Amino acid sequence: MTFAPGTAHSRIPTSVFGPDERALVAEFVDERIRPIAAELDETERFPEEIYAEMGKIGLFGITVPHDDGGAGGTALDYLFVMESLSYGYASIADQCGLVEILGTLLNTYGTDDQKKEYLLPMLSAEKRCAYALTEPGSGSDLGSITTRAERTSTGWRLRGEKIYIHNAPVADFAVVLAVTDPERGKRGGISVFLVDVDTPGVSRAYHEHKMGQRASQVGGLVFDDAELAESALLGEEGQAFGYMMKVLAKGRLGISGLALGISRAALDAAVRQSLDRQQFGRAIADNQAISFSLASIATELQAATALSVSAARAIDSGDDDAEVLCSMAKLNASESCVRHADAALQVFGGNGFIRGYEVERLYRDARITKIYEGTSEMQRLIISRSLLRSAG
């Protein structure tokens, strides 16, 4: 597993995806994503045409079984797809990751009717989804959410507000976490609901403008006594916290893949620049300070990739250490990604600080990887608790 600059072909191994599927992904990244990444970053538009193509060629729901409309792949295949798409543009990978998590929830806990109404059209990109967890006073601590769903004679009444929600400005439906039994708290008192955004009482609150990954739409959703049918409940009442815990590892693996893709793109850009840029009559690649920086990026990227591959294989094998390995992979890949983007920008000098250069965008896109799907601080807490528990 080595990294050859200048190619969209990921070096991450796969288990179900064969040479034809890998070549298809690389071609899609090279021909459809990379050419428009700068335009998407500048305009912040939702690339509906790209997602429609992804739905047609099977790049949504990588681990969802064929019978439910997915690609029937493994966590290792998912890591490969996320890294490959992010090499093209991280916002596109971000959408793939969102659909993967919600696809897993719907595939695992949804009824046949819910799968037909939400899962299948989501995987084909006919319906846009959102994942509504975060609130003004609740980020990493899901147990502190205040959005309430109360039983009525016909179903549920939903009240509350969600912020920083991926796809909120464009979503057709949202998977919403809400408190259904305040006395039981997160252990039995939180449930998951499927909510159509055009339901009376549901409104889009705002559209955020972000530092990076700007084509990935983020905003708020407000629920003002929205009336939901009984069938809006996903899975069993009160079991949402357990459901979330089961998909968190996959979510963190996905972000590790996304970070790896940014790192690989940054390395490629820096290598090309070091060979093209002349100073004092020779390529700056001949300067040891530059070449050693590139060597450090390549070495760290290789190590981060190996750890992420191990985490993916742990998920696929049902290893008890999968959760902590995914936290390690996400922590390592995201923090090294920020360093790699910074080092690559340094190779460009003043040019790297100018809009229009890929490395400037990569620098901005990298920063969020240390925050979403669990901050670096949360990953360290998970890892340290596991370490101390094993020693106790």
Side-chain angles (χ1 to χ4, degrees):
M1 196 165 52
T2 56
F3 295 94
T7 173
H9 290 268
S10 173
R11 295 303 189 266
I12 291 177
T14 50
S15 54
V16 173
F17 281 34
D20 290 344
E21 289 86 359
R22 293 178 66 92
L24 176 65
V25 173
E27 180 181 351
F28 184 75
V29 170
D30 266 342
E31 296 183 4
R32 299 294 293 122
I33 299 178
R34 289 186 66 81
I36 65 169
E39 179 258 318
L40 293 177
D41 176 71
E42 181 66 26
T43 63
E44 303 184 25
R45 74 175 178 88
F46 185 80
E48 186 172 8
E49 76 284 4
I50 293 294
Y51 299 141
E53 291 183 52
M54 290 172 64
K56 289 179 181 178
I57 64 177
L59 290 183
F60 285 135
I62 303 302
T63 65
V64 174
H66 289 298
D67 290 347
D68 280 331
T74 65
L76 190 60
D77 297 308
Y78 173 52
L79 178 68
F80 158 76
V81 171
M82 287 293 287
E83 193 267 2
S84 299
L85 294 175
S86 184
Y87 178 85
Y89 183 30
S91 285
I92 305 297
D94 205 19
Q95 185 75 8
C96 179
L98 170 66
V99 173
E100 183 68 27
I101 296 305
L102 299 193
T104 298
L105 288 171
L106 281 160
N107 165 249
T108 306
Y109 305 110
T111 64
D112 289 342
D113 286 343
Q114 288 172 334
K115 290 179 183 180
K116 182 178 179 180
E117 184 174 359
Y118 296 105
L119 178 59
L120 293 176
M122 180 182 70
L123 297 182
S124 63
E126 296 171 56
K127 278 192 175 183
R128 304 169 181 177
C129 59
Y131 193 22
L133 276 68
T134 306
E135 299 183 1
S138 173
S140 298
D141 181 13
L142 295 180
S144 65
I145 66 171
T146 60
T147 295
R148 288 288 307 275
E150 300 175 342
R151 279 197 175 275
T152 67
S153 60
T154 57
W156 303 88
R157 181 177 295 114
L158 187 64
R159 182 188 311 112
E161 179 183 3
K162 301 290 184 176
I163 64 171
Y164 304 146
I165 304 306
H166 187 175
N167 270 7
V170 298
D172 296 305
F173 75 96
V175 173
V176 181
L177 254 67
V179 176
T180 48
D181 187 343
E183 294 185 2
R184 300 189 67 179
K186 65 183 180 181
R187 304 293 183 181
I190 303 177
S191 303
V192 190
F193 295 89
L194 297 166
V195 181
D196 292 314
V197 178
D198 63 1
T199 299
V202 179
S203 59
R204 308 178 201 273
Y206 43 78
H207 186 169
E208 300 286 10
H209 299 281
K210 303 178 295 171
M211 175 195 298
Q213 298 188 28
R214 288 155 56 93
S216 177
Q217 311 293 303
V218 169
L221 292 171
V222 176
F223 310 102
D224 186 11
D225 290 334
E227 298 290 339
L228 309 178
E230 180 66 35
S231 60
L233 180 67
L234 178 63
E236 297 182 26
E237 181 181 347
Q239 299 305 306
F241 186 77
Y243 297 167
M244 296 304 109
M245 293 301 102
K246 291 181 180 179
V247 298
L248 276 179
K250 187 183 288 184
R252 287 163 182 164
L253 178 71
I255 300 306
S256 72
L258 184 149
L260 293 174
I262 295 175
S263 287
R264 183 159 65 92
L267 176 61
D268 282 6
V271 168
R272 290 193 300 268
Q273 177 72 356
S274 73
L275 293 170
D276 292 342
R277 185 182 177 193
Q278 299 284 320
Q279 289 288 295
F280 306 105
R282 61 179 183 174
I284 63 171
D286 292 337
N287 186 315
Q288 189 178 82
I290 299 296
S291 62
F292 276 20
S293 176
L294 299 176
S296 293
I297 297 174
T299 302
E300 290 184 6
L301 178 54
Q302 188 83 1
T305 300
L307 178 55
S308 296
V309 168
S310 293
R313 286 177 168 152
I315 291 178
D316 289 332
S317 66
D319 194 318
D320 291 339
D321 292 330
E323 181 179 348
V324 71
L325 282 171
C326 286
S327 286
M328 289 178 175
K330 196 269 184 185
L331 173 66
N332 182 268
S334 62
E335 298 220 328
S336 62
C337 171
V338 174
R339 292 196 303 272
H340 298 161
D342 181 73
L345 189 150
Q346 193 74 12
V347 172
F348 279 73
N351 289 338
F353 202 65
I354 303 300
R355 284 289 180 94
Y357 283 85
E358 179 187 14
V359 73
E360 183 270 343
R361 172 178 58 79
L362 293 172
Y363 184 83
R364 289 184 287 106
D365 288 345
R367 187 58 181 83
I368 190 62
T369 64
K370 292 173 60 175
I371 297 173
Y372 61 1
E373 287 294 339
T375 63
S376 290
E377 291 74 18
M378 284 301 301
Q379 305 316 313
R380 288 188 172 93
L381 182 62
I382 292 168
I383 295 164
S384 62
R385 283 178 173 174
S386 175
L387 179 66
L388 296 172
R389 187 166 54 246
S390 298

